[in-house]
Amino acid sequence: MSEELMKEDNNLTMADLEDHFDDANPWNVVKRYLEKKTILPVKIEGIVNGGAIAMVEGLRGFIPASRLSLSYIEDLESYLLKDIEVQVIDVDQAENKLVLSARELLKEKERKAKEEKISNLQVGAVMTGTVDSLQTYGAFIQLEDGLSGLVHISQISQKRIKSPKDVLNVGDEVQVKVIGIKDGKISLSMKALEEVEEEPVEKVEIPKAEEIGTSLGDLFKNIQL
């Protein structure tokens, strides 16, 4: 088809066609996916050494094993034919290299899920948790729904302690009270749930007035003038 005929029939120029061909080039398409951080649904079509393969725009994309999940994957074969979401993280047409990742999307989903859980948490709530780790400044407690919080050493007991290890062990199940939520961090207290020990009140008996008089009379009786 001549250029003149294309102009008449389709109002297209050679420059328009060149732009169209550039747009149709799959490498240019995946480069735009990289720039825009486009979320792409893909199917794992193969497992290779160190990762997995998924097709994007007809190109063979490699997903490193470390980019498939937020945690270590024991069996990569379990991902075969699995549908996941990825983003393009590296494109090199000269090297015929297209690298994909699911990790960033999974981290963002985890962050949003955590924020939602924390937003539903109320100061004053009493919860059961497990001591996850002990530090010099306090104890980290694993709570429900994957949340965790810190019991500062000053909030562990009403009694003064030198170290959290004096009263706690990793794995201990404890009752805690939420006393603060700030910047996504949860402050907890065990001390707030302890019963306050009342100090024994000393009972003082005051003698009656007549008893005082009698005692004084007895005293003067024995004094000789």
Side-chain angles (χ1 to χ4, degrees):
M1 183 181 291
S2 68
E3 182 178 346
E4 289 184 3
L5 186 59
M6 285 188 294
K7 286 181 180 179
E8 291 175 0
D9 290 349
N10 301 311
N11 263 338
L12 294 176
T13 65
M14 287 303 293
D16 291 331
L17 283 177
E18 286 174 1
D19 289 341
H20 174 72
F21 289 140
D22 284 343
D23 290 341
N25 182 336
W27 287 103
N28 289 337
V29 174
V30 294
K31 283 179 183 177
R32 286 197 295 274
Y33 290 159
L34 172 63
E35 293 166 359
K36 296 180 179 179
K37 298 182 178 181
T38 306
I39 298 173
L40 305 169
V42 298
K43 183 184 289 292
I44 302 299
E45 298 188 11
I47 301 299
V48 293
N49 185 30
I53 299 299
M55 303 302 292
V56 176
E57 300 295 335
L59 301 175
R60 188 173 183 266
F62 174 65
I63 311 170
S66 62
R67 297 277 185 170
L68 271 171
S69 172
L70 294 178
S71 56
Y72 175 73
I73 301 173
E74 189 71 32
D75 180 18
L76 277 177
E77 292 290 340
S78 64
Y79 271 74
L80 188 61
L81 301 181
K82 188 175 181 178
D83 294 312
I84 64 172
E85 290 183 331
V86 298
Q87 288 177 307
V88 177
I89 60 171
D90 191 17
V91 176
D92 189 335
Q93 184 175 356
E95 296 290 334
N96 197 34
K97 182 173 73 173
L98 172 62
V99 184
L100 311 172
S101 174
R103 188 176 178 84
E104 290 76 12
L105 297 175
L106 292 172
K107 286 181 73 174
E108 181 62 15
K109 286 182 179 179
E110 184 181 64
R111 184 187 67 78
K112 288 182 177 179
K114 181 180 178 181
E115 284 183 352
E116 185 176 354
K117 291 173 185 177
I118 291 177
S119 68
N120 293 327
L121 197 60
Q122 299 294 323
V123 172
V126 176
M127 309 175 73
T128 299
T130 304
V131 178
D132 189 48
S133 69
L134 296 171
Q135 309 296 330
T136 56
Y137 51 83
F140 284 97
I141 309 298
Q142 190 70 31
L143 302 172
E144 304 164 3
D145 297 329
L147 296 177
S148 65
L150 173 68
V151 180
H152 189 268
I153 187 170
S154 64
Q155 292 294 326
I156 291 178
S157 175
Q158 290 180 9
K159 297 178 181 178
R160 189 176 181 84
I161 60 174
K162 293 182 178 179
S163 168
K165 293 180 181 179
D166 292 344
V167 292
L168 293 173
N169 296 295
V170 172
D172 284 353
E173 187 174 281
V174 294
Q175 286 280 313
V176 292
K177 183 177 182 178
V178 179
I179 59 173
I181 302 171
K182 184 178 181 181
D183 299 330
K185 296 179 180 178
I186 305 170
S187 297
L188 306 169
S189 175
M190 293 168 57
K191 182 174 75 173
L193 298 177
E194 290 182 356
E195 293 184 5
V196 179
E197 295 182 6
E198 295 184 1
E199 294 184 6
V201 178
E202 185 179 350
K203 188 175 181 180
V204 179
E205 293 187 4
I206 301 176
K208 295 179 181 178
E210 57 268 22
E211 291 178 352
I212 296 174
T214 303
S215 298
L216 288 174
D218 292 340
L219 178 61
F220 288 125
K221 188 185 297 181
N222 297 323
I223 298 177
Q224 296 181 355
L225 300 176

